[in-house]
Amino acid sequence: MHNGFIKTLPLLTMALTVLLVGAGIFVYKNSSGIKGVGEGEFQNVILLGWDGVQRKHLHELLDAGKLPNLEKFIAAGTMNDISITSGATDTKAGWTEILTGYSPDVTGVYSNFDYKPIAEGYTVFERLEEHFGKDDIATLFVSGKGNNVSARGPHKSCTNCLTRYRGSREKVDYWHENTSAPTSIPGEERVFEPMEGEPYYHTKNALDVYETDLGSAENVGAKVLEYIEEYKQERFFAFFHFEEPDEPGHIYGENSREYSEGIITDDYWLGQIVEKLKKTGIYDKTLIYLVSDHGFDEGKKWHLNAPEVFLATNDIAGPKRDGDREDITPTILHRYGVDINSLTPPLYGISLAQEELPDVTLVIREFLSDGPAMVADELSYYAQEGLGVRTVIVEKGEYASPFFLSGRAQFAILGNKWSLLSQLTDTEGKAEIIADLGGGGKRWRVMAGASSGISALEDLEGKRVASWHDSYGFAKFRSYLKEKHISIIPVPLPGMSPDAAVATLVSGNADALLVWEPIPSLIEESSIGYEVFRMEEIGDEMSVYLHAQADFTKEHPAETQAILRALARAGRFIRDNPLEAAHIIHSKRETLRASSSAIASALTNMDFAVRFDEEERKEIDYTVDIFRQMDLHDLPDEAFIELNGEYIGQYEYAQSL
Ligand SMILES: [Zn+2]
């Protein structure tokens, strides 16, 4: 029976070089009027949105001297090009990317018509509330548009309605469930599709002010000035959205006088806002980031392919390079001092304010098995190799894998399950596993409660055993018990936190736990349980794997080798200095905040290495091949694997119980 769940890796090819992305600071330096802000402390950020500004059109107006306020503004700060590389060039996708730092594959907001609510906690508003505390920052969302920046809950959406009347090009109310909108084929029955909700359905709950559908600039502008007055004493982050020039663009076209007028109106209000900030005495502590959600198709009344926009700011310590629509939120969070490399899911954008771009991004999980990557980062091992490495730490493989596969990271550390899934998902072979980083079967242990009376594996019969139900370890353990004819009552562990695991045992909700380090060591240290079994007895090394973008390793072998050397060195450091290593790892994440002494003792149960095991690679390739032949694109709960008519074995995976 081929019980091998996985293992393998394509051959190492290695290499890399510094990928320096060109930086372009500057533009329109002169000396007049408005001052730059942000050299020292600042308090507020205003994210000013001008809807649908084509970059080229903006520059034409600037060059013609038609935008005096913007001209003064960027003379004191910077203006950079922003490109759109994911999501539709439209309003819903645009503001969602700008306000989250994520592509649609994370938010589910692909376009004005393909959307769902942004997950709770993912927006810049919520990140800042989290960072400062709810009472220490006010968050404001004030918008000219209603639809497309809406917080509506579950609803139905017409899929064959026109969005604008033919001829007049005025908006129809296609987004209402009882719309009177004409259908695209006249006389046709309207077709509705159920939607989970609009993008800001969850976000709204976190906001101090959420006001939309204000219409044209004069309404928005007046409100904005009122809100600045109201919040001038507090720290605030505000998104102020003007619907111009998008609306006139749709009616009169991009090359129209009306479209230009829309931008000129926005410019007037920029001047008013700066004036108001000065009058209230908070200009010097308020950064303004001015952006657009999408451009406009040249000479057209739409913006189907309009990826060229801009970012202008008075923040003199801010953007240092051109960027992407998804870089706005990371830049603002970075400027506020948020550790943007420790957010889950990892931000897809980068901070444009960082001095130097990293050569390489490595995404890891907040697990002890990924400790060497934390240590290598902390002890500057990469820097000593001459490499700038950005280490992004996420909760688990579920977040690390898509971030890596999207190309945002050159390297990723993944466990068994996500290694297999990543290989399975990556049908073009862009991602390869280049090393086994160890981990070790000793780190997964079955811990019985102090008064459970369990002393051997057989005693688990009929007992409640808690673990992470979607983990490879638990699946593996359960199939092992099945072979031994031992049946347990599986109990799901909530989340990855050591506290939750310990509580499950202490409360008696489970008689035993199957968990990985540092939880077993934590349980031993506090004498609430003891070990009855180690996964190494099953004969599985429970390794974690280093994945790399194949193109990258091919083009940059020296840099790839440097990463491997740094990780190997960090593994040796941990072995030789467990206490010091424990201290470093302990400081990294919530889930690793077991005591330093528990972590130190846990580290002695880890086996860190950098191995290139041909056998393992073959096994993973083999498993992936079988799954592909079975046309599986996800891990099955249970499957009898038959290949070319020959029975190979039973593959079991406890996806849900
Ligand atoms: Zn539009």
Side-chain angles (χ1 to χ4, degrees):
M1 168 161 157
H2 194 100
N3 199 17
F5 187 98
I6 343 185
K7 302 178 164 217
T8 271
L9 332 253
L11 255 185
L12 302 227
T13 25
M14 315 265 154
L16 43 145
T17 273
V18 190
L19 298 168
L20 270 188
V21 174
I25 329 180
F26 59 60
V27 182
Y28 303 105
K29 280 277 180 212
N30 71 40
S31 51
S32 61
I34 305 180
K35 249 186 3 168
V37 176
E39 187 73 85
E41 290 280 294
F42 64 92
Q43 178 168 302
N44 316 307
V45 173
I46 292 176
L47 180 62
L48 195 54
W50 292 0
D51 205 297
V53 179
Q54 189 204 60
R55 188 198 301 154
K56 198 169 133 252
H57 201 118
L58 184 80
H59 280 282
E60 283 163 10
L61 291 175
L62 262 177
D63 292 346
K66 299 272 181 63
L67 306 174
N69 295 303
L70 181 62
E71 196 177 326
K72 276 188 265 174
F73 183 69
I74 53 190
T78 59
M79 178 144 102
N80 287 99
D81 289 350
I82 294 294
S83 310
I84 300 166
T85 59
S86 59
T89 55
D90 71 16
T91 299
K92 227 174 220 145
W95 294 118
T96 298
E97 270 198 9
I98 289 167
L99 292 167
T100 62
Y102 294 120
S103 296
D105 49 323
V106 176
T107 60
V109 183
Y110 289 87
S111 72
N112 286 348
F113 308 99
D114 183 0
Y115 57 86
K116 64 179 197 180
I118 299 165
E120 196 181 333
Y122 284 18
T123 65
V124 60
F125 306 100
E126 294 153 290
R127 299 284 186 200
L128 290 172
E129 300 268 7
E130 172 77 26
H131 179 70
F132 287 107
K134 187 95 189 96
D135 296 335
D136 281 330
I137 187 163
T139 49
L140 292 75
F141 188 125
V142 177
S143 168
K145 286 186 172 177
N147 179 47
N148 291 334
V149 290
S150 161
R152 181 166 55 149
H155 60 275
K156 293 197 189 92
S157 170
C158 179
T159 56
N160 63 338
C161 288
L162 287 179
T163 58
R164 290 181 180 273
Y165 290 105
R166 293 207 165 93
S168 80
R169 304 269 314 149
E170 295 283 349
K171 254 186 226 162
V172 304
D173 61 345
Y174 68 92
W175 57 87
H176 288 143
E177 293 188 18
N178 48 3
T179 175
S180 55
T183 51
S184 42
I185 297 172
E188 204 180 45
E189 193 76 10
R190 291 187 191 92
V191 178
F192 288 90
E193 210 180 289
M195 307 297 287
E196 285 174 51
E198 302 272 3
Y200 307 100
Y201 178 48
H202 301 303
T203 312
K204 184 173 185 276
N205 302 326
L207 297 169
D208 293 282
V209 170
Y210 175 70
E211 191 162 1
T212 61
D213 217 0
L214 291 167
S216 61
E218 50 188 352
N219 301 332
V220 175
K223 277 285 176 194
V224 164
L225 301 188
E226 277 173 37
Y227 279 121
I228 292 174
E229 182 66 35
E230 188 179 337
Y231 284 90
K232 66 183 178 190
Q233 312 280 24
E234 297 181 41
R235 185 205 319 274
F236 66 80
F237 171 80
F239 173 49
F240 295 143
H241 168 270
F242 289 81
E243 69 170 16
E244 292 83 359
D246 184 68
E247 190 54 28
H250 281 294
I251 298 174
Y252 304 102
E254 181 269 328
N255 277 329
S256 65
R257 183 179 53 79
E258 289 83 354
Y259 184 81
S260 292
E261 286 300 330
I263 301 175
I264 290 167
T265 302
D266 287 339
D267 181 73
Y268 167 79
W269 283 104
L270 171 64
Q272 292 296 301
I273 291 167
V274 168
E275 229 14 72
K276 180 71 185 175
L277 291 170
K278 285 181 173 169
K279 258 188 229 153
T280 46
I282 58 171
Y283 180 78
D284 287 340
K285 41 185 176 179
T286 304
L287 308 182
I288 301 174
Y289 277 66
L290 167 61
V291 293
S292 192
D293 52 342
H294 56 77
F296 237 84
D297 290 5
E298 180 59 36
K300 300 287 196 271
K301 293 178 175 173
W302 49 79
H303 40 75
L304 293 174
N305 179 23
E308 297 187 346
V309 282
F310 65 96
L311 166 62
T313 180
N314 62 348
D315 180 6
I316 50 179
K320 294 173 177 58
R321 52 183 60 81
D322 294 340
D324 190 282
R325 193 163 63 171
E326 63 193 24
D327 297 335
I328 310 296
T329 278
T331 305
I332 292 171
L333 291 177
H334 174 207
R335 291 292 286 122
Y336 261 125
V338 175
D339 178 5
I340 58 170
N341 291 328
S342 289
L343 300 176
T344 291
L347 291 174
Y348 275 34
I350 58 164
S351 167
L352 302 176
Q354 59 194 322
E355 292 299 329
E356 265 179 73
L357 289 179
D359 308 320
V360 167
T361 297
L362 162 66
V363 59
I364 65 172
R365 298 94 29 90
E366 55 185 36
F367 302 151
L368 212 49
S369 55
D370 300 24
M374 299 174 201
V375 168
D377 183 42
E378 190 72 22
L379 298 182
S380 308
Y381 287 178
Y382 304 121
Q384 287 162 27
E385 294 278 355
L387 212 57
V389 175
R390 169 190 175 212
T391 304
V392 174
I393 308 183
V394 299
E395 250 169 59
K396 45 185 175 173
E398 183 183 341
Y399 301 111
S401 174
F403 182 72
F404 167 68
L405 290 176
S406 77
R408 265 98 181 162
Q410 289 79 24
F411 296 91
I413 298 180
L414 299 171
N416 271 299
K417 173 184 172 182
W418 285 99
S419 291
L420 179 55
L421 266 176
S422 296
Q423 294 291 302
L424 206 54
T425 317
D426 171 38
T427 48
E428 292 165 51
K430 286 190 289 193
E432 56 184 359
I433 299 176
I434 62 168
D436 171 347
L437 297 181
K442 282 194 289 190
R443 79 193 151 110
W444 275 91
R445 302 199 259 159
V446 176
M447 306 299 293
S451 55
S452 65
I454 296 165
S455 59
L457 209 55
E458 293 67 36
D459 300 336
L460 291 178
E461 175 67 36
K463 298 287 191 191
R464 288 160 305 165
V465 180
S467 189
W468 300 292
H469 275 186
D470 59 351
S471 67
Y472 167 70
F474 198 36
K476 186 94 188 175
F477 183 59
R478 290 181 62 226
S479 53
Y480 182 73
L481 291 180
K482 213 173 191 176
E483 277 172 35
K484 303 244 165 214
H485 305 288
I486 299 169
S487 66
I488 57 161
I489 303 166
V491 175
L493 267 185
M496 315 303 291
S497 112
D499 288 350
V502 167
T504 304
L505 198 60
V506 171
S507 66
N509 285 338
D511 304 299
L513 306 176
L514 171 65
V515 280
W516 59 32
E517 296 291 5
I519 302 172
S521 292
L522 188 62
I523 289 171
E524 279 172 339
E525 186 178 65
S526 49
S527 307
I528 55 172
Y530 54 88
E531 174 189 321
V532 285
F533 186 75
R534 283 183 189 227
M535 288 295 280
E536 70 175 338
E537 294 172 47
I538 292 179
D540 192 307
E541 284 162 6
M542 310 293 293
S543 294
V544 299
Y545 300 100
L546 182 64
H547 294 242
Q549 303 288 352
D551 285 353
F552 187 83
T553 57
K554 232 167 265 144
E555 286 162 30
H556 306 288
E559 285 80 354
T560 304
Q561 291 290 6
I563 297 266
L564 291 165
R565 266 198 309 274
L567 290 173
R569 186 178 165 198
R572 289 193 299 273
F573 177 87
I574 294 173
R575 193 193 57 211
D576 299 341
N577 309 277
L579 273 172
E580 204 176 324
H583 204 72
I584 292 170
I585 294 169
H586 169 85
S587 70
K588 290 294 176 183
R589 295 295 286 242
E590 208 68 48
T591 56
L592 293 166
R593 292 202 184 124
S595 66
S596 281
S597 56
I599 291 185
S601 115
L603 286 172
T604 62
N605 285 321
M606 308 292 292
D607 153 41
F608 298 117
V610 176
R611 285 190 289 255
F612 311 99
D613 187 325
E614 275 313 309
E615 263 318 291
E616 280 184 297
R617 287 162 209 232
K618 278 189 196 134
E619 264 194 74
I620 292 189
D621 277 350
Y622 178 80
T623 311
V624 169
D625 265 359
I626 290 175
F627 282 14
R628 287 214 176 112
Q629 291 187 43
M630 292 168 75
D631 209 23
L632 289 176
H633 303 288
D634 198 354
L635 297 185
D637 291 350
E638 192 166 359
F640 290 95
I641 297 177
E642 206 176 312
L643 196 59
N644 305 325
E646 187 193 341
Y647 175 71
I648 293 174
Q650 189 184 30
Y651 167 84
E652 189 184 351
Y653 200 82
Q655 205 65 306
S656 56
L657 299 160

